[in-house]
Amino acid sequence: MTTGETAPDPRGARTPAEFIARLRQLKNRSGLTYRELSARSAALGDVLPRSTVANMLARTTLPREELLAAFVRACGVDPGGEADWEAVRKELATRGTYGTEAGEAPAGSPEGEVPEAEGPEGELPEADVPEADVSQGDAGPLVWPGSEAVPAAEPPPEGAGSAPDPRSRLRLALVGAVGVAALVLAAVSVIALVREDTPRRGRANGQAPAPELTAPAEGPVHIRVIGSGLCLGERRGSRSGQIHQRDCAGADVPLYSLKRLPGDEWRIVSDHPDYGPGCSGIPSGGRIPDAALEDSECGDPSRVEGFTLEPYGSPVTGYRIVPAGSATSGSCVTVTGDRTAAWSRLAQAPCAPDAAGQLFSFDRRI
């Protein structure tokens, strides 16, 4: 548990809502995310799905006995403290006035839990599938209609005063037009080939052309780091929710979207193949100066989940992701460590004057 803070005492709760409020305080004091609580519970031999914990802390009714026991154990409560929590829960449940709310599920029932996303936790990363190399076939040669070659016009005999045959002049005009069209088509083909080959040569020389900067807008996005050209994502199989920068070609764990909130704030929504929907955020209200940017369930009051996306430079060269209401003012989401390396982590850090490692593009994800 986090040191320096007094553990909440369940014996002060007079209603189920106050009891749940003390459970939320217990989680905040533990300093653990929902994923970490689930992992610690599994290590203790209990079953504590992340979505179940989130659902329990969002309600105002008493949790089931077995859920309460698993939760307080995962938060680090000793056996004596666990007995206090269970005794208070039992007392509140038996009171006529302060009993469980109407419609609460009896012990052993699902209690309206949000089902876990399919797929086992801790699943090993799947191998990234390389992009197919699409090659272009050669275009066939131009063929002028007609199987017979156009005969060259014979010069008129000397002294002949008759006018040239109109059909010969028409043939010559047609041949000239075909020649001009062929030259134009050849020029267009050369230009297209040069344009296509330029980025390929750039990639071969390690100088890939920079993608265009994209302003934030609601909907699916790849969040690309300006400077490294990498995109935000997690390591599949990790329970921490820590966000890193990684190759954009495989940045699909999780999938990100932007959602506009009231005012100038945005929410970064995630969709994880193993853990389901969630939100990116800064834990502990941003009180820790270098707190990590993590994905977890949405709606945790102890996390900062709203951000302002501020343009930087004139003309704009990128957008800062600023935690809204962070206890550490003047902070920006920042690539830490080697800012050009894949799997460098993201955390909040002081907004730098040059915004190095702090600028992003919100590329549309199709």
Side-chain angles (χ1 to χ4, degrees):
M1 288 189 181
T2 304
T3 58
E5 297 183 18
T6 304
D9 188 350
R11 292 171 294 185
R14 295 293 179 265
T15 66
E18 291 180 3
F19 188 78
I20 293 297
R22 282 163 171 74
L23 287 178
R24 285 195 290 266
Q25 295 172 8
L26 181 64
K27 176 190 176 297
N28 294 342
R29 183 175 181 269
S30 74
L32 300 175
T33 65
Y34 289 113
R35 292 184 185 181
E36 291 168 337
L37 284 171
S38 180
R40 176 174 288 190
S41 180
L44 295 173
D46 295 322
V47 177
L48 190 65
R50 300 173 309 113
S51 58
T52 303
V53 178
N55 184 61
M56 174 187 73
L57 297 180
R59 294 167 63 94
T60 56
T61 55
L62 295 174
R64 302 190 310 273
E65 292 181 9
E66 63 273 19
L67 174 58
L68 172 65
F71 176 77
V72 297
R73 281 195 292 267
C75 288
V77 176
D78 59 32
E82 180 185 340
D84 289 339
W85 284 95
E86 293 176 349
V88 173
R89 187 232 177 259
K90 184 175 182 180
E91 180 181 356
L92 291 174
T94 55
R95 289 182 186 177
T97 304
Y98 300 127
T100 56
E101 292 186 359
E104 181 192 4
S109 67
E111 196 180 334
E113 297 171 13
V114 179
E116 284 286 276
E118 294 184 0
E121 291 192 0
E123 182 179 347
L124 294 177
E126 295 180 355
D128 291 335
V129 180
E131 295 183 357
D133 183 16
V134 181
S135 58
Q136 292 185 344
D138 296 332
L142 287 172
V143 178
W144 177 250
S147 58
E148 296 181 357
V150 178
E154 297 181 359
E158 292 185 6
S162 59
D165 188 351
R167 289 176 297 176
S168 298
R169 286 187 296 178
L170 177 60
R171 289 172 180 171
L172 288 173
L174 291 175
V175 170
V178 171
V180 172
L183 289 174
V184 172
L185 182 59
V188 172
S189 300
V190 169
I191 292 172
L193 288 173
V194 169
R195 287 182 177 176
E196 180 183 357
D197 191 52
T198 298
R200 291 182 179 176
R201 290 201 308 269
R203 287 193 295 268
N205 297 330
Q207 300 176 349
E212 294 183 1
L213 178 67
T214 308
E218 281 196 306
V221 293
H222 284 300
I223 305 176
R224 177 169 49 85
V225 182
I226 302 298
S228 70
L230 301 174
C231 291
L232 303 195
E234 298 181 40
R235 290 184 185 272
R236 188 166 188 181
S238 171
R239 299 174 185 265
S240 68
Q242 170 68 61
I243 298 176
H244 305 265
Q245 63 174 2
R246 55 165 300 168
D247 184 6
C248 293
D252 54 0
V253 178
L255 297 174
Y256 288 112
S257 298
L258 290 181
K259 181 179 180 181
R260 187 183 291 274
L261 300 177
D264 295 329
E265 294 185 18
W266 296 79
R267 174 171 285 173
I268 302 174
V269 181
S270 61
D271 186 6
H272 198 285
D274 300 329
Y275 302 124
C279 290
S280 302
I282 305 293
S284 302
R287 291 190 297 272
I288 303 172
D290 60 347
L293 180 66
E294 299 174 341
D295 289 324
S296 190
E297 282 78 7
C298 301
D300 186 343
S302 68
R303 304 172 73 231
V304 176
E305 295 181 348
F307 301 91
T308 57
L309 307 179
E310 302 177 357
Y312 175 87
S314 180
V316 176
T317 56
Y319 294 85
R320 280 173 160 162
I321 302 177
V322 179
S326 173
T328 305
S329 60
S331 294
C332 289
V333 171
T334 307
V335 179
T336 62
D338 187 347
R339 291 171 180 160
T340 63
W343 301 113
S344 294
R345 61 190 288 270
L346 279 88
Q348 73 169 359
C351 297
D354 62 356
Q358 298 177 340
L359 297 182
F360 302 87
S361 175
F362 299 90
D363 303 340
R364 303 293 180 266
R365 176 170 56 83
I366 300 175

